[in-house]
Amino acid sequence: MPIRDTESAHHEPADYARTVPEGTWVADHLGRGYSYTSLHHGRDPEADEPGVDVDGPADLVATLVRYRPEPELFELPRWPFARRRPRTAVLYVHGWSDYFYNTEIADFWDGLGARFYALDFRRYGRSLRPWQTPGFTTDLAEYDSDLESALRTIREDLADVERIILAGHSTGGLIASLWVDRNPGRVDALVLNSPWLETHGSWVVRLAAAGIVDRVARRRPKALVPLPDVDFYWQSLSRQASGQWDLHPLWRPRYAFPIRAGWMAAILEGHARVAAGLHIDVPILVLTSDHTVISTHFTPEHLQGDSVIEVDVTRQRALRLGPEVTVVSVPDATHDLFASKPAPRAAAYSAIRRWATGYVSGLSAPD
């Protein structure tokens, strides 16, 4: 399989979010109730690579978004001696070539009585900077510090937090699962939305690909892995096509970020770890579509099935995450269940509500 090098596309500074001091919350583009802070991790080593031109600071950051809905007009204060409801926080992490944009998710968790936060990993979304290779890493454990910083900031921001639910989509679900396995006792539950737990084509394809990719990744980690350019998933998401969502063209590009050898090697290693079995000791909810769509061109089927992962293999791999796993299949859902059509989206939310109000104390099921 030939792998080539390439230069990243040029974008204007206006495409990038502003870096702010850690702990300083500024208004987010999502609108009322949303703000973000930068989580700093020193100077980005990529800024010092040959041929990289950085104009100004070269901070490596992740970005934490929080949702604070404004109180209803004329809302009465709680009786000061009333028993305080236990406080739960949700930390949501995105998938490959993605970022947090779905405000409906925040509204849902707020309706259950949880405080909602979302993390844009380093080199993604609000954290992406002009000199960086979008989404690039050679080790999924690199995101540990992003998650650690996010959890620390949540606990500082929400002093009386008693439990935290970690929620992850697709590649974010893989990263979250591996992190929780390595860090027992840090969160209280795990919710996975179409997690990418195995290579497309199952372990046979993974083993064959790993032998090729690993050799290249050791020598040229940023070499491109030539894969077909398809936009089926984007078409199911974007309001510019057949979807319902306004997407940032740099943060959620039509054809996704270029696949690099070093990143692919890290993903294959993560899949191998899941296949060997994890030991996550908190309740896990895994949601997927009920079927995968395989096609050489975009069809209406892509609006009611998963065009990214093989859902049957994912459900099998999910049982290797830990001893307490609930797997839910949602008819006609897309890869991101919460960007599906209204009916499967509502079914996915209902599944979380049933599960969360049973497994996580302090949450309520609104009428």
Side-chain angles (χ1 to χ4, degrees), residues 1 197-213 268 271-272 275 310 313 316-317:
M1 177 172 58
L197 301 179
E198 182 57 277
T199 309
H200 205 80
S202 192
W203 62 272
V204 177
V205 175
R206 168 165 48 81
L207 290 178
I212 300 172
V213 172
L268 294 174
H271 289 168
E310 291 188 81
V313 173
Q316 293 169 9
R317 283 288 180 262

Side-chain angles (χ1 to χ4, degrees), residues 217-302:
R218 285 193 294 269
R219 294 181 289 110
R220 293 184 293 139
K222 290 188 178 179
L224 274 179
V225 178
L227 295 172
D229 288 330
V230 294
D231 64 353
F232 303 157
Y233 181 43
W234 178 89
Q235 288 201 51
S236 74
L237 292 174
S238 176
R239 198 185 301 275
Q240 296 178 6
S242 301
Q244 307 168 59
W245 308 93
D246 294 317
L247 304 177
H248 192 293
L250 173 61
W251 301 350
R252 171 65 263 186
R254 180 165 187 162
Y255 294 100
F257 298 148
I259 303 297
R260 310 279 175 168
W263 177 87
M264 180 58 75
I267 293 294
L268 294 174
E269 181 183 357
H271 289 168
R273 290 185 57 197
V274 172
L278 304 184
H279 303 281
I280 296 174
D281 60 356
V282 299
I284 305 167
L285 174 64
V286 178
L287 304 118
T288 72
S289 177
D290 64 334
H291 69 284
T292 295
V293 178
I294 300 176
S295 175
T296 58
H297 61 282
F298 184 81
T299 72
E301 287 294 313
H302 287 91

Side-chain angles (χ1 to χ4, degrees), residues 324-342:
E324 196 168 357
V325 182
T326 302
V327 180
V328 177
S329 174
V330 179
D332 299 329
T334 55
H335 180 55
D336 185 347
L337 279 77
F338 306 107
S340 303
K341 289 184 176 181

Side-chain angles (χ1 to χ4, degrees), residues 104-121:
E104 188 179 85
I105 296 176
D107 287 331
F108 168 78
W109 283 107
D110 180 74
L112 288 185
R115 290 297 192 186
F116 182 84
Y117 297 81
L119 177 64
D120 281 5
F121 285 124

Side-chain angles (χ1 to χ4, degrees), residues 35 44 48 50 127 146 163 174 180 201 245 293-294 340 359:
S35 57
D44 186 356
D48 299 321
S127 309
D146 294 0
R163 61 194 60 83
L174 173 64
V180 175
W245 308 93
V293 178
I294 300 176
S340 303
Y359 277 98

Side-chain angles (χ1 to χ4, degrees), residues 94-99 124 135 171 250-253 255-259:
H94 58 82
W96 171 245
S97 302
D98 211 348
Y99 69 104
Y124 286 91
T171 306
L250 173 61
W251 301 350
R252 171 65 263 186
Y255 294 100
F257 298 148
I259 303 297

